[in-house]
Amino acid sequence: MKAIALTQYLPIENPESLLDVQLDKPAPQGRDLLVEIKAIGVNPVDVKVRAPKETIEKAPRVLGWDAAGVVQAVGPEVSRFKVGDRVFYAGDITRPGSNSEFQLVDERIVGNMPQSLSFEQAAALPLTTITAWEALFERLHVSPTPPATTASAKSILIIGGAGGVGSIAIQLAVKVAGLKVIATASRPESEKWVRELGAQHVVNHFGDLPAQLKQQGFDNVDYVLILNDTDRHFPAAAAAVAPQGMICTIVENSAPLDVSLLKAKSAGFIWEFMFTRSMFQTADMQQQGNLLDQVARLIDQQVVVTTVNQVLSPINAANLRQAHATLEGGRAIGKIVLKDF
Ligand SMILES: NC(=O)c1ccc[n+]([C@@H]2O[C@H](COP(=O)([O-])OP(=O)(O)OC[C@H]3O[C@@H](n4cnc5c(N)ncnc54)[C@H](OP(=O)(O)O)[C@@H]3O)[C@@H](O)[C@H]2O)c1
């Protein structure tokens, strides 16, 4: 089968950083599906895993953790899917990724693709949707039911609103939970994007966030979701969060965070890492398949829209290097997807 892989960890400008290769097609065991991949999403995690270092791989390593495709074969213990089903999933960081014509994935972390979407529209969604859903409804404990009145709606500051995760988090927060959403964006085009997705207020993440919130009428916010540069934004999040509020971040910090800033407010801090369930094979792994099914229904009901913003074709090393380079620039709006091998 065709695949895109690396053996060395090189700067993305180097044509050897991602290579077109031929690999053996794997066979499904246990609860695995063998999926024929039609489109892949590209995420910052791909860039972080590929970051230059001395290590040399003995065998080609396939990255990529976002896919949409068709089930081609199933393992003997599979019960949720059958051959021919259209599926979308992020996969498992400890296993070979989705940048290949065929991939094995545990059925518990797979969703049925929205019927109204093409493969490339669907491939934009899984990793960021799982992250945003888990962050909002499982880590921050936002109620998934909208409030009775708009006046009683709780508020959330989403830092990094126009990126892949922000683009779906804004929609889930506004359209599912009925929150008042203040998203951050630093450019006219990213501000336009977050407003179109439903953010009612926009502030600039390179400015003073608590001061800008006050200007927009918010003394504080019930929730803060940090989707970029935790080191920079944690102190502002601690200043902006309401007494008994909650902060969630999805991005690693490089210096210690001062959680004592939260003590007087009895405010909470929590991580979201969307690979936790598959990495530790938690008893509730199936929740990821379930939430993807739920979001697929929301898409088919036109409550939520896909976040794809750029499609490259075909799926090959040259196009994937281009997508990685764009993400490394840190200014992506929505999602970049590659389609068709
Ligand atoms: N823990 C997890 O499970 C998990 C899951 C997914 C992603 N992540 C991590 O979350 C981060 C975001 O992922 P993503 O897919 O949303 O990335 P992305 O699509 O590359 O995000 C790009 C956006 O980031 C904004 N941005 C740039 N610098 C910023 C800053 N200093 N503060 C706030 N926003 C800034 C930009 O907005 P402007 O153009 O308006 O400046 C741009 O729209 C990455 O580090 C990724 O690895 C973690």
Side-chain angles (χ1 to χ4, degrees):
M1 65 175 183
K2 290 182 192 168
I4 302 155
L6 58 74
T7 53
Q8 303 175 76
Y9 296 83
L10 300 168
I12 200 62
E13 300 72 35
N14 189 322
E16 306 271 299
S17 58
L18 291 167
L19 297 165
D20 293 303
V21 296
Q22 284 287 334
L23 299 175
D24 291 338
K25 185 169 153 183
Q29 306 291 329
R31 299 193 72 171
D32 275 351
L33 311 176
L34 177 70
V35 178
E36 181 183 3
I37 290 180
K38 303 287 191 183
I40 56 171
V42 190
N43 289 283
V45 67
D46 308 26
V47 172
K48 290 178 188 178
V49 173
R50 205 213 73 249
K53 54 179 173 277
E54 295 295 313
T55 316
I56 307 271
E57 300 292 344
K58 290 197 186 79
R61 181 176 182 192
V62 177
L63 312 182
W65 290 278
D66 248 344
V70 180
V71 176
Q72 221 213 27
V74 297
E77 291 161 35
V78 165
S79 60
R80 297 186 65 228
F81 297 96
K82 59 181 189 321
V83 170
D85 284 349
R86 299 189 338 148
V87 294
F88 70 148
Y89 57 90
D92 178 343
I93 191 89
T94 68
R95 302 184 71 180
S98 46
N99 299 338
S100 60
E101 254 182 305
F102 296 92
Q103 184 189 17
L104 296 177
V105 61
D106 188 303
E107 64 166 346
R108 286 170 288 183
I109 56 174
V110 173
N112 290 286
M113 234 179 82
Q115 289 171 11
S116 54
L117 294 191
S118 62
F119 290 110
E120 63 265 30
Q121 290 170 322
L125 290 164
L127 186 144
T128 52
T129 297
I130 294 169
T131 309
W133 185 283
E134 290 183 343
L136 289 170
F137 303 122
E138 302 188 32
R139 313 293 177 225
L140 291 169
H141 294 290
V142 169
S143 167
T145 315
T149 62
T150 317
S152 60
K154 292 192 169 186
S155 53
I156 185 168
L157 172 64
I158 298 181
I159 300 177
V165 182
S167 299
I168 187 74
I170 290 170
Q171 297 188 70
L172 295 176
V174 174
K175 296 168 187 171
V176 176
L179 297 181
K180 286 178 210 155
V181 173
I182 308 107
T184 78
S186 75
R187 296 175 290 152
E189 53 271 44
S190 49
E191 172 167 353
K192 179 169 179 283
W193 177 265
V194 299
R195 284 195 190 279
E196 280 171 6
L197 292 173
Q200 298 100 335
H201 304 267
V202 181
V203 294
N204 185 332
H205 39 245
F206 296 124
D208 180 334
L209 289 174
Q212 293 176 80
L213 287 172
K214 283 204 172 62
Q215 280 164 12
Q216 305 251 353
F218 293 90
D219 285 339
N220 53 43
V221 286
D222 297 294
Y223 308 102
V224 183
L225 180 53
I226 303 177
L227 305 179
N228 211 299
D229 200 347
T230 300
D231 291 296
R232 177 192 184 104
H233 296 304
F234 182 78
V241 74
Q244 305 185 93
M246 280 291 292
I247 299 171
C248 176
T249 185
I250 69 166
V251 181
E252 58 283 357
N253 53 310
S254 55
L257 301 177
D258 183 4
V259 290
S260 70
L261 295 172
L262 305 177
K263 193 223 170 200
K265 291 181 179 172
S266 298
F269 175 75
I270 191 159
W271 288 101
E272 159 59 20
F273 184 48
M274 60 79 54
F275 291 116
T276 299
R277 283 178 158 140
S278 49
M279 183 181 262
F280 295 96
Q281 297 277 300
T282 60
D284 65 354
M285 250 173 91
Q286 174 71 58
Q287 282 297 106
Q288 290 198 336
N290 295 349
L291 78 85
L292 287 173
D293 280 349
Q294 225 168 318
V295 172
R297 285 192 290 274
L298 290 169
I299 286 182
D300 288 336
Q301 292 159 3
Q302 298 178 331
V303 176
V304 171
V305 299
T306 181
T307 55
V308 68
N309 194 23
Q310 189 184 2
V311 181
L312 302 171
S313 186
I315 303 174
N316 62 19
N319 280 333
L320 195 55
R321 285 196 299 271
Q322 186 185 329
H324 275 229
T326 304
L327 286 183
E328 281 186 4
R331 305 207 109 185
I333 293 181
K335 295 291 306 171
I336 307 172
V337 165
L338 275 64
K339 69 166 185 171
D340 300 334
F341 275 92

